[in-house]
């Protein structure tokens, strides 16, 4: 007994010492405990998702229209604003952005995308623009609570989806007028044609493939930038998706993100055979992958919770259906997969925020896993609800439709596997 109490004292002394050292230390401490700010933001976004987004979900899915009144509500409480996204992003752990996205998309993914779709354009301006460009264009992506606006990011084209090097939209510099002239067709642009600000990826030198790309802001009401066909979709139907046509669309020289000097330097490096530091579209996708993964997680969690509650209520053969192992094990695995995906999302978000290089394509891992989990979990949720799951009277059918896009956009699951396999092997896997 005496020995053990000495050991206790020593252990306590060591713990005290460790605690005092770690609190003085500037070394990061490992913790999965959310801090008070993170908890407050989670609760705030959850409240909006539960009270405003969810009740509107079915209506806007059926209408297949942008839910302007819901976006306005989000703007009124400050959720649809650069200040909010900036605050989420500012969290030095990197976790607040995925946490907020998970909560919002738990409410509904179609409306969630209508609110968050602007962020892709904002991320491009934030990631590639000069401070002046950020100050000028980011506020115009959001507008004001009384006059909300949207942003659109246009990289994909009919013949350039996974293969962004196939982008044909061209940008030619008119030196005499200091203007860029854009021509081409963009496909599947979220908020395309209805956005106030479009960010367009165009080729300034086709011979250089994706290394010859640059990002341009198309200011509001620019002649030659028009919406093409609006796409009718399987899911995410409250989010507007459309082609965008660029016909001799002239924008001031100042609309080239990052500026001409930087572009010329980069192109010169590439032409000399040196490695380019960045590629315009890939840079935007890289940074946004964990956030997109978090959106998929929100859908998966919503479907899992619904199915769990249902299984605890529904009776067949004189017992709750959850009392059957096959149902209970499915639910256990759904929870397991969601939590595993969340850990990958949080790791990638943390790495991104610390500026760590994704040596093993951790951003792609997070998006790949979360997207696949969302499709699988929502499909299982339909199965657990049986016939009810297959009808539009119950939300899991919508969640399943919404989830599918997460294995397609921002890099399909196959492309994520390609990125991961190249990163881990060092080989140019095809
Ligand atoms: C609802 C929605 C919203 C979108 N929003 C935007 C947006 O805001 N901005 C934007 O720029 N784009 C957007 N997109 C486009 C989206 O990013 C593309 O659809 C996606 O990148 C896939 O390209 P793709 O459709 O041309 O498919 P493809 O590239 O034609 O791929 C078809 C299939 O082939 C597979 N494949 C292709 N290449 C390989 C390979 N090398 N190895 C193995 N398999 C391969 C793919 O994985 C896929 O299964 C959106 C799309 C949708 C549907």
């Amino acid at each position: 007994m005496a020995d053990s109490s000495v050991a206790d004292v020593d252990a306590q002394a060591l713990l005290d010492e460790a605690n005092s050292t770690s609190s003085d230390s500037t070394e990061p401490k490992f913790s999965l405990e959310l801090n008070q700010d993170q908890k407050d933001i989670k609760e705030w976004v959850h409240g909006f998702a539960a009270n405003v987004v969810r009740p509107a979900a079915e209506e806007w899915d059926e209408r297949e229209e942008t839910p302007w009144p819901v976006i306005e509500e989000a703007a009124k409480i400050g959720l649809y604003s650069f200040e909010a996204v900036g605050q989420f992003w500012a969290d030095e752990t990197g976790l607040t952005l995925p946490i907020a996205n998970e909560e919002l998309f738990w409410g509904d993914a179609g409306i969630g995308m209508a609110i968050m779709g602007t962020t892709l354009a904002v991320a491009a301006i934030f990631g590639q623009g000069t401070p002046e460009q950020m100050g000028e264009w980011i506020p115009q992506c959001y507008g004001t609570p009384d006059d909300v606006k949207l942003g659109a990011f246009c990289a994909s084209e009919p013949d350039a989806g996974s293969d962004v090097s196939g982008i044909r939209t061209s940008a030619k510099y008119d030196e005499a007028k200091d203007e860029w002239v854009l021509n081409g067709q963009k496909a599947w642009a979220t908020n395309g044609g209805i956005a106030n600000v479009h960010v367009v990826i165009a080729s300034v030198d086709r011979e250089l493939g994706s290394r010859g790309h640059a990002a341009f802001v198309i200011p509001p009401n620019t002649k030659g930038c028009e919406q093409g066909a609006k796409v009718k979709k399987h899911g995410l139907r409250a989010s507007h998706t459309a082609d965008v046509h660029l016909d001799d669309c002239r924008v001031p020289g100042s609309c080239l993100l990052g500026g001409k000097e930087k572009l010329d330097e980069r192109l010169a490096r590439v032409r000399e055979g040196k490695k380019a530091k960045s590629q315009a579209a890939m840079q935007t996708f890289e940074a946004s992958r964990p956030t997109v993964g978090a959106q998929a997680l929100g859908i998966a969690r919503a479907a899992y919770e619904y199915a769990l509650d249902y299984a605890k209520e529904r009776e067949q053969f004189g017992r709750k259906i959850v009392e059957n192992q096959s149902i209970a094990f499915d639910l256990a695995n759904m929870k397991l997969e969601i939590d595993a995906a969340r850990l990958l999302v949080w790791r990638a978000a943390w790495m991104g925020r610390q500026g760590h290089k994704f040596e093993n394509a951790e951003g792609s891992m997070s998006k790949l896993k979360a997207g696949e989990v969302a499709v699988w979990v929502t499909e299982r949720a339909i199965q657990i609800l049986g016939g009810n799951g297959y009808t539009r009277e119950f939300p899991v059918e919508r969640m399943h439709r919404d989830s599918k896009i997460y294995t397609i956009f921002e890099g399909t699951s196959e492309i994520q596997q390609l990125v991961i396999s190249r990163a881990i092997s060092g080989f140019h896997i095809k």
Side-chain angles (χ1 to χ4, degrees):
M1 280 299 285
D3 279 355
S4 103
S5 68
V6 169
D8 285 348
V9 170
D10 286 344
Q12 190 56 52
L14 279 173
L15 264 177
D16 289 347
E17 195 187 64
N19 284 339
S20 72
T21 323
S22 63
S23 58
D24 292 345
S25 162
T26 52
E27 286 292 306
K29 287 178 283 181
F30 180 78
S31 171
L32 284 173
E33 186 98 51
L34 299 188
N35 64 34
Q36 198 52 48
D37 277 353
Q38 290 163 336
K39 285 181 192 159
D40 290 347
I41 288 174
K42 184 171 191 270
E43 200 179 316
W44 178 56
V45 181
H46 187 84
F48 183 76
N51 300 325
V52 182
V53 174
R54 274 216 170 166
E58 190 187 346
E59 177 192 343
W60 293 98
D61 175 60
E62 289 295 335
R63 285 173 64 164
E64 285 194 61
E65 285 169 13
T66 300
W68 290 104
V70 186
I71 302 175
E72 277 158 19
E73 287 291 308
K76 281 197 184 102
I77 65 158
L79 177 58
Y80 183 72
S81 67
F82 183 57
E83 287 70 25
V85 175
Q87 193 194 351
F88 300 161
W89 191 85
D91 171 11
E92 58 188 19
T93 72
L95 298 193
T96 301
L97 203 50
I99 288 169
N101 273 274
E102 181 179 332
E103 293 312 312
L104 185 62
F105 282 68
W106 170 91
D108 178 61
I111 295 177
M113 187 52 70
I115 292 171
M116 283 294 173
T118 294
T119 322
L120 211 52
V122 170
I125 299 169
F126 190 68
Q128 295 168 56
T130 61
E132 294 73 37
Q133 288 171 327
M134 290 181 214
E136 180 166 10
W137 299 114
I138 291 177
Q140 294 195 54
C141 287
Y142 290 99
T144 62
D146 295 325
D147 184 16
V148 290
K149 303 285 185 201
L150 302 170
F153 177 75
C154 313
S156 304
E157 298 183 359
D159 294 321
S162 301
D163 181 11
V164 287
S165 69
I167 284 179
R168 282 170 201 272
T169 296
S170 64
K172 298 224 171 349
Y173 187 55
D174 178 346
E175 201 159 358
K177 292 187 173 158
D178 183 26
E179 284 178 347
W180 286 92
V181 189
L182 286 93
N183 277 291
Q185 183 185 341
K186 292 295 175 184
W188 304 296
T190 300
N191 298 335
I194 61 168
N196 202 34
V197 174
H198 291 76
V199 175
V200 169
I201 305 296
S203 173
V204 292
D205 185 341
R206 280 212 57 196
E207 279 179 18
L208 300 181
S210 53
R211 292 172 306 165
H213 291 173
F216 296 86
V217 165
I218 313 292
N221 307 315
T222 300
K223 227 176 116 208
C225 176
E226 301 285 342
Q227 181 186 312
K230 180 182 168 185
V231 182
K232 283 177 84 69
K233 303 196 298 293
H234 176 62
L236 230 58
R237 301 198 307 178
S239 164
H240 170 101
T241 314
D243 287 354
V244 173
H245 296 283
L246 298 149
D247 296 313
D248 285 331
C249 175
R250 285 184 167 267
V251 297
S254 59
C255 287
L256 166 64
L257 287 176
K260 187 141 187 328
E261 204 176 309
K262 209 168 149 200
L263 173 71
D264 288 342
E265 270 173 31
R266 179 160 64 82
L267 295 179
R269 282 175 62 84
V270 175
R271 286 183 190 122
E272 281 169 27
K274 291 183 187 152
K275 235 181 151 200
K277 280 192 200 133
S278 66
Q279 292 166 18
M282 296 322 288
Q283 239 190 19
T284 303
F285 289 140
E286 186 93 359
S288 57
R289 274 179 185 148
T291 307
V292 175
Q295 296 172 357
L297 272 178
I299 308 173
R301 199 182 98 214
Y304 156 74
E305 288 174 4
Y306 201 95
L308 178 62
D309 288 346
Y310 188 92
K312 291 199 291 193
E313 287 296 320
R314 172 80 173 164
E315 289 186 12
Q316 288 292 283
F317 298 100
R319 57 179 182 271
K320 308 285 185 197
I321 60 168
V322 75
E323 291 178 66
N324 301 299
Q325 272 195 2
S326 70
I327 300 279
F329 283 12
D330 251 356
L331 286 160
N333 286 325
M334 288 154 81
K335 173 73 174 145
L336 172 74
E337 290 293 316
I338 291 168
D339 283 9
R342 187 181 296 104
L343 287 173
L344 287 179
V345 164
W346 283 14
R347 177 180 71 169
W350 175 83
M351 288 178 75
R353 189 66 182 88
Q354 308 311 307
H356 289 312
K357 202 166 167 240
F358 289 145
E359 298 279 356
N360 296 299
E362 288 85 351
S364 291
M365 282 190 201
S366 69
K367 194 264 176 183
L368 169 62
K369 180 70 179 170
E372 293 292 333
V373 164
V375 173
W376 180 75
V377 165
T378 53
E379 190 274 338
R380 285 290 89 194
I382 292 179
Q383 193 65 20
I384 290 169
L385 266 72
N388 281 335
Y390 197 66
T391 70
R392 294 208 173 175
E393 305 299 312
F394 289 78
V396 293
E397 173 270 346
R398 185 179 67 247
M399 292 166 186
H400 187 50
R401 284 189 285 110
D402 290 345
S403 71
K404 186 56 196 157
I405 191 61
Y406 286 87
T407 67
I408 298 172
F409 68 5
E410 296 248 350
T412 64
S413 288
E414 292 76 16
I415 294 301
Q416 307 300 347
Q417 290 172 79
L418 198 67
V419 175
I420 299 164
S421 57
R422 283 179 184 172
I424 60 170
S425 70
F427 278 79
H428 194 72
I429 317 284
K430 292 199 193 322

